[in-house]
Amino acid sequence: MEESAKKRKIIHVDMDAFYASVEQLDNPELRGKPVAVGGGSERGVVSAASYEARKFGVRSAMAGGLARRLCPELIFVKTRFERYREISAQIREVFFEYTDLVEPLSLDEAYLDVTENKKGNPSASLIAKEIRAKIKEKTGLNASAGISVNKFIAKVASDINKPNGQKTIGPEEVIPFLEKLDIRKFYGVGKVTAEKMYQLGIFTGNDLKLKSLEYLQEKFGKSGAFYYNVVRGIHNSQVKPDRIRKSLGAERTFSENISSEIFMIERLENIAEEIERRLKKSDVAGKTVTLKIKYSDFTLKTRSKTLPYFIRSKEVILETARELLFQEKMENSVRLLGITLANLNTEDRDQKSVEQKVIAVQLKFDF
């Protein structure tokens, strides 16, 4: 493992079943019961599931109809993003008591670089324990944490003792830990990649480590170098407090398949309006419009167009999406439409001030 990688102490904090836990917190009648946040119809999608629901196999991104079949007593509740954002802000206030190097990944998880911290505490493990206790005290919710020398390992570690636990992988434990780790547990290795690795005889980190860089690049393209490095404990991505948004989008899954282009335009208008609202709230604009179409047979197609100027108005977004919609003949009835605006004007912002904040010179490590 690179010497420079040993000079950082990274914590990954991940709230336990966040959306579902918030609903159980606010409604005592839901506590101890299987709860799913999101659409409960056959075409709806589960956004989050309580641990009681997970015992039945209910998972996020699962179709609502399937979730009901797995757990007939499953209770569906509507998403309340404003409430989730409110609690997320309280959680981040706790993070900033310890360090300014906080990189949120979503409303319910973040990386913290505590190599040098506001409390002067040399133990990242103790800091993680304090943070989890303060979150519990402030919000009533449980959090889990992973602690290690880089973001990759901290992310993997945070899942080991869930819920309401933490796991520390110290500098000398990194390589043995990665060698024994099931390849499915590697952050960034999805179901398709895992299956491909199985076919290549790669089941654990040690199996992965035995493959050469050239071999992994041949089989996995650009990702090959990433796999080659992370299994050796090399992952130098810094905690970036001001992560720059690279795209913004919205999509809708319909309760019934639609084939009328008039209906499609109506749906796209609603989506464009939502994107405009979010663009104005974030004070950003973009140049590249991408239309996402999922047909009734689950075939997914995308079409994109880059404009010579930045846009944020729903009228221009809709007109461009409309043009993309009619670019090719529709292949089938449609179950989902989405619009994404990329090539945002945030990408040119100077990041030097952020990089200068990153400090990784700690010499003594009390994990």
Side-chain angles (χ1 to χ4, degrees):
M1 185 172 61
E2 285 190 352
E3 189 65 28
S4 61
K6 295 182 180 180
K7 296 178 180 178
R8 289 190 293 162
K9 299 177 184 178
I10 308 298
I11 301 173
H12 177 255
V13 179
D14 192 8
M15 300 302 296
D16 297 331
F18 183 53
Y19 294 174
S21 295
V22 171
E23 298 303 332
Q24 290 177 319
L25 176 73
D26 289 351
N27 184 354
E29 292 183 2
L30 297 177
R31 295 173 192 174
K33 297 179 181 179
V35 174
V37 178
S41 65
E42 190 69 29
R43 302 291 291 272
V45 177
V46 175
S47 296
S50 68
Y51 282 97
E52 294 86 355
R54 293 182 188 187
K55 293 177 181 178
F56 293 87
V58 179
R59 296 287 184 272
S60 61
M62 176 178 286
L66 175 57
R68 282 192 186 280
R69 289 191 289 274
L70 290 173
C71 181
E73 296 187 9
L74 187 63
I75 302 170
F76 277 90
V77 294
K78 293 182 179 180
T79 53
R80 297 184 298 149
F81 284 110
E82 288 304 316
R83 176 60 171 153
Y84 308 148
R85 292 189 188 99
E86 176 188 349
I87 295 183
S88 179
Q90 296 174 12
I91 293 167
R92 289 181 190 178
E93 287 178 1
V94 175
F95 295 158
F96 286 115
E97 291 180 27
Y98 292 84
T99 177
D100 289 328
L101 298 181
V102 177
E103 179 181 342
L105 299 179
S106 59
L107 293 178
D108 62 339
E109 62 176 319
Y111 290 116
L112 291 74
D113 187 329
V114 295
T115 308
E116 290 193 358
N117 56 82
K118 297 177 181 179
K119 304 292 185 179
N121 190 337
S123 172
S125 298
L126 290 179
I127 290 175
K129 188 175 182 180
E130 283 185 22
I131 288 173
R132 291 175 47 241
K134 285 193 176 183
I135 290 174
K136 179 70 173 180
E137 179 182 357
K138 195 165 190 175
T139 69
L141 300 174
N142 292 325
S144 294
I147 307 97
S148 196
V149 298
N150 64 43
K151 290 162 68 174
F152 176 84
I153 304 169
K155 171 81 171 176
V156 175
S158 66
D159 200 44
I160 292 177
N161 289 326
K162 268 186 167 288
N164 196 27
Q166 66 182 59
K167 175 68 176 178
T168 299
I169 310 295
E172 304 309 318
E173 302 172 278
V174 167
I175 299 303
F177 170 77
L178 291 173
E179 287 178 344
K180 295 177 183 177
L181 193 65
D182 188 315
I183 203 67
R184 294 174 299 178
K185 299 292 186 181
F186 275 69
Y187 175 59
V189 175
K191 185 177 180 180
V192 174
T193 301
E195 289 297 330
K196 184 175 181 179
M197 287 190 173
Y198 288 165
Q199 293 172 8
L200 297 173
I202 302 172
F203 298 93
T204 65
N206 190 57
D207 295 332
L208 180 62
K209 194 176 180 183
L210 293 174
K211 304 299 183 182
S212 68
L213 174 60
E214 293 72 23
Y215 178 87
L216 293 175
Q217 288 178 324
E218 177 189 344
K219 300 297 183 182
F220 299 99
K222 293 180 180 179
S223 297
F226 171 76
Y227 299 140
Y228 180 86
N229 286 324
V230 294
V231 78
R232 289 166 172 78
I234 303 169
H235 187 241
N236 296 324
S237 175
Q238 298 172 338
V239 172
K240 300 174 182 177
D242 299 325
R243 290 178 77 232
I244 296 178
R245 180 190 289 274
K246 294 186 178 181
S247 65
L248 190 152
E251 60 185 42
R252 297 289 184 273
T253 300
F254 311 126
S255 57
E256 295 182 0
N257 298 332
I258 58 175
S259 54
S260 167
E261 292 173 343
I262 295 176
F263 288 163
M264 292 182 197
I265 295 298
E266 289 179 355
R267 305 305 191 277
L268 288 175
E269 184 173 4
N270 293 335
I271 296 171
E273 188 173 347
E274 169 66 13
I275 292 175
E276 179 190 58
R277 184 187 67 78
R278 293 172 59 189
L279 286 168
K280 289 181 177 179
K281 185 174 182 180
S282 302
D283 191 26
V284 295
K287 291 183 177 180
T288 302
V289 177
T290 298
L291 175 68
K292 178 180 178 181
I293 305 171
K294 183 179 285 187
Y295 291 104
S296 54
D297 62 357
F298 288 86
T299 301
L300 182 64
K301 294 293 179 70
T302 58
R303 306 167 188 173
S304 298
K305 180 178 180 179
T306 298
L307 302 173
Y309 46 83
F310 289 106
I311 63 170
R312 70 164 56 164
S313 74
K314 70 174 182 180
E315 289 79 12
V316 181
I317 295 170
L318 176 61
E319 184 58 36
T320 308
R322 180 189 178 103
E323 180 183 334
L324 293 169
L325 181 68
F326 294 126
Q327 194 175 77
E328 298 177 19
K329 186 177 179 180
M330 303 303 291
E331 300 175 4
N332 208 331
S333 57
V334 173
R335 64 176 277 117
L336 176 150
L337 286 173
I339 302 174
T340 299
L341 190 64
N343 197 5
L344 302 183
N345 57 357
T346 56
E347 297 184 13
D348 294 329
R349 293 178 184 173
D350 189 4
Q351 289 297 293
K352 290 182 180 179
S353 61
V354 175
E355 293 170 0
Q356 289 170 354
K357 293 180 183 178
V358 180
I359 303 171
V361 293
Q362 191 87 355
L363 298 178
K364 183 179 178 182
F365 289 83
D366 300 315
F367 272 85

